[in-house]
Amino acid sequence: MSRKLFAMLLVGLLSASVTACGGDDTPLDTPDTDVDTDAGDDTDPDTDSNEPHPFEDEVDVWMGDAVNDPDTPQAIDVGQSFGGQLNGASQYYELNLEAGTALKVTVDGVDGDFTGEGAFNVVVETMADEGRRVLFYSGDSATREFFIYAEGAHQIYSLPGEGVSGAYKISTEVVELAPETPTLPGVTEGDMSDGSIKVYEVVADLDGTLAAETSAQRLAPEGGVDTFLHVWDVAADARIAQNDDFGDGHYDSQVFAEITSGNTYYVIVDAYSNDADGLFELTMETYEGGTTEPVVVADGAEETGNIEARLVGVDLKAYSLTVEPGENFRVLVEGDDALTPAIVAVSGPAGEEQQVGGSQPVEGRAGMYVGVGADEEEAQTFLLYVSDERNLTEGAESVGGEGFGFTLTVEAVARGAVTVEGTLTSPQVLADVGNVTWFDVVVPAKTIVSLAVETEVAEADFAPLVVSADYWTFSPAFEAEAVLYNDADEAVTMPVLVRDATFRGSPTTTYALNATFVDATLPEGPTTYTFTDQLLTSADAEAIELPAQVFGLLDTEAAEAIDEAATPVQFFSVDLVAGDVLVARTSRGAELPADPEADDPSTTDTVVRLFEGDGSTQILAADYYVGQADAETFFSAFIYEVEEDGTYFLSVEPFCQSFLGMNFCSDGEYKLDVFTN
C-alpha cells in the first residue's frame, strides 16, 4: 500500500467515525461483567408475552417489540415519555427541538438484561451534523442533560447489542439554561457528575476574542469526563464556536470565539457521555484581536507586533504571503530583548493544510524561506505564524507581554543555483537565518547521484536537510544525504536545496556538499533470480551472484503465517571486495494494469537495507529517491563504496504503517537490480 493510498484510507476511516471523539465513542453494547443493582424496575423479564408489559401504561408512547431504523423513526413530542422492548435491535424516536435550550433525558426504568451496571445506554443524535452524545444508565446516573445547539430534528435511540433484551421507559423535558457567573479571567471549578450541563455567562468588555479551555481528563486521566465546549451568542441566538477535543492524549476542549463589546455570550460545558467523574476546571479570558484575518504581506513588507501571555492557548500573530510560480521569499523576524522568536509556515488546499516549515531563533532573530517551483501552475498562499519559541513547546507556560515585541520583514530573493554536473565537493555557508543554498543537479541518463552534506558544525547548531526542490514546498526532505536517479534516456536537471532543519544560519554555519555520480546501467548478462518465499532474517538469506536482477514478492499474509509479528521481507547475501561501488535500485516487478480499477500486482513502495556480515548491523537504509518516473511510486536506490572484503546482506521490504493495531504494507512484486561499478 502506497503512502498516498494509506493516507486516503486513514481519511476514510476517520470520516466514517462518529462525530464525537472521546476515545472509542461508539456507545457500549454490554458491560464486561454483570453487576446487580437495585436501580430500575425489577419486572420479571419472563412475563407472558401475551400480557401487556407493566411499562406500557406508564408512558405516552409505547413501541412494544416493534423494530424500526433511522429512516423511519417514531415521532414523539417534547415532554412525552416513551418505551419499548428490545431484543438485540434498536428503536428510534425523533423529536424537534429549539436551539439554545437543553434536553433532559431520564431513564425511569429498565428490566431484563438492562438492569446491570452500564448495560443500557441512550444516544441523542443531532441530525443537522450527526453529532452523538450518550447517557449511560446506572443506578446512580439515570438522567443527564444535552445542550441543543441546532434547530430541528433530533433522534433518541439505544444500541442494545446482539442477544441483549429487556424493556425500558424514558421521559424527556426541555429545561431552560441557567447561567452562572464565572471567574474571568481565571479558573472556574465545575461538576457535571449529576448529569447536568454547565452554563457560564460572559458580557464582553472588549472587541476581540473569548477563549475557554477545560481540564477534566488531565485532572483525572484514568476517568475524567470527555467535555464538549460551545459558545452561544445570546443576541444572535446562535452557536458561534465549538470544540470537542484538542491536544494529544486527552479529550479536553478548547475554543476561541470572536466577540463584540457589550454583547452577552454563554460558554456551555457539555459532555460526550456521563460514564466518568464529572469534575472539571474551566479557564477563560478575553483579549483584543486574536481571531481576525491574517495580515496580508508581500515583497518589501515591514510589520510590527507584540506577543502576549495567554491563559488559554498561545498568542500567534498571523500573516498571509501569496507566492507565484518561480518566486522565492525570505521572511525575517527580529525580536525585542525578551522575545525568542519562532515562525511556523502552513500551506495547502482548504481542509488539507499542512506545516511546511518551522524556524528556531539565533540571537533573537528567526528566518523562513518560502517559494514555489517555476513549473507549478498556480500560486500558493503561506500562512506564517509568529510567536515566542517557548510558547510552541507543549505543556509550557505561556510567555509574553512587555519586551516581547518584534518586526517582521519580507524580501524577494534570487534563486542563484550552483550547477552540479559531476562528482565534486562544493563548500558553502548558510550565513544567516532563513538562508538556503540551491543546486541544479544535471543527472545523466541511467545515473544515480548521491548528495551528502559534510559539516564540522555541532549537531545542536546545524541539522542539515537536502530537499527535493522541483515542487520544494511539499517535496521530500532528507536528512544529510539524498539519492537522485534518472531512469530516462537523456539528462535531466533536478533542483535541490540545502538548509538547516529550522532555518538557522550564521557566518560559521559552513558545510560541503559532496556529489557522487555513478552509472546505474545494469551490466549485460545479469544472473536472474525469482523468489516468492518470505526470507525474514539474514539466516534465511538467499546467496546471489552479481550482477543480478532479482524478481521478488513481498506478502504480508505469507510472512504472518511464519511469524504473526513479522512484516514481509526478503534477505539476500552478496560477496563484495573493498573498493567496489555497490549499486542497488528497485522498480516495478509487474506492469501497471491498464484498467485503473484492477488490482496492481506490483509493490509501489520499498525500503532497501544493507547490513554488515553479521546480518544485523545496518550500514544504510534507502527509502525513497528523487526522480521517480511515476509520482505514485516510492522506489529505492543507493550507492555504497565497500570498505572491507566480505559477505554483506541486502534486504527488501515494503513500506508499512500501523493504524488501529493493523499493519498496512505496500505488498506485491518488485524488481531489484544490484551490481558493482
Side-chain angles (χ1 to χ4, degrees), residues 71-89:
D71 295 328
T72 58
Q74 170 66 49
I76 59 173
D77 294 327
V78 175
Q80 282 189 313
S81 59
F82 55 90
Q85 295 172 281
L86 304 179
N87 186 15

Side-chain angles (χ1 to χ4, degrees), residues 13-38:
L13 287 171
L14 292 177
S15 63
S17 65
V18 296
T19 301
C21 299
D24 182 4
D25 282 341
T26 304
L28 301 178
D29 291 337
T30 58
D32 294 331
T33 58
D34 290 327
V35 181
D36 291 334
T37 176
D38 293 333

Side-chain angles (χ1 to χ4, degrees), residues 173-394:
E173 65 175 307
V174 170
V175 296
E176 296 298 322
L177 303 183
E180 304 174 23
T181 302
T183 302
L184 187 72
V187 179
T188 301
E189 295 182 349
D191 188 355
M192 295 190 292
S193 299
D194 61 358
S196 63
I197 62 173
K198 296 300 179 184
V199 183
Y200 300 95
E201 182 179 275
V202 176
V203 179
D205 57 351
L206 49 76
D207 293 336
T209 298
L210 167 62
E213 177 179 317
T214 60
S215 182
Q217 292 209 330
R218 286 173 292 174
L219 291 176
E222 295 183 358
V225 62
D226 176 2
T227 59
F228 198 118
L229 275 174
H230 312 262
V231 179
W232 186 262
D233 186 327
V234 175
D237 200 28
R239 185 174 70 170
I240 59 173
Q242 56 84 24
N243 177 254
D244 183 1
D245 308 322
F246 83 99
D248 295 323
H250 62 79
Y251 300 112
D252 293 337
S253 311
Q254 185 183 83
V255 69
F256 301 90
E258 187 171 352
I259 57 175
T260 301
S261 180
N263 286 4
T264 299
Y265 303 89
Y266 291 160
V267 176
I268 297 114
V269 185
D270 201 345
Y272 171 72
S273 67
N274 63 319
D275 62 339
D277 180 273
L279 296 173
F280 66 88
E281 291 180 351
L282 176 66
T283 303
M284 286 194 289
E285 64 177 332
T286 60
Y287 49 83
E288 294 180 347
T291 61
T292 56
E293 291 296 314
V295 176
V296 176
V297 294
D299 183 28
E302 181 174 317
E303 299 287 340
T304 59
N306 196 83
I307 302 300
E308 302 292 342
R310 300 291 189 219
L311 291 177
V312 177
V314 300
D315 188 13
L316 296 171
K317 296 298 189 286
Y319 302 89
S320 175
L321 174 62
T322 298
V323 183
E324 298 292 335
E327 291 184 332
N328 298 280
F329 292 91
R330 179 172 175 253
V331 180
L332 179 66
V333 174
E334 298 193 55
D336 291 348
D337 291 345
L339 184 71
T340 55
I343 310 170
V344 175
V346 174
S347 188
E352 301 178 17
E353 299 90 344
Q354 58 179 301
Q355 182 175 329
V356 297
S359 70
Q360 287 183 308
V362 176
E363 297 181 353
R365 302 164 72 247
M368 177 75 68
Y369 189 100
V370 295
V372 174
D375 294 333
E376 293 199 46
E377 296 180 356
E378 298 180 351
Q380 289 184 16
T381 297
F382 295 83
L383 291 178
L384 306 170
Y385 296 97
V386 177
S387 190
D388 190 285
E389 180 188 25
R390 292 162 288 186
N391 288 338
L392 304 181
T393 303
E394 187 172 355

Side-chain angles (χ1 to χ4, degrees), residues 37 132 162 198 214 269-270 341 450 454 485 531 545 563 587:
T37 176
R132 303 172 189 174
E162 185 176 354
K198 296 300 179 184
T214 60
V269 185
D270 201 345
S450 169
E454 183 179 354
Y485 172 58
F531 298 109
E545 293 185 5
D563 181 348
S587 57

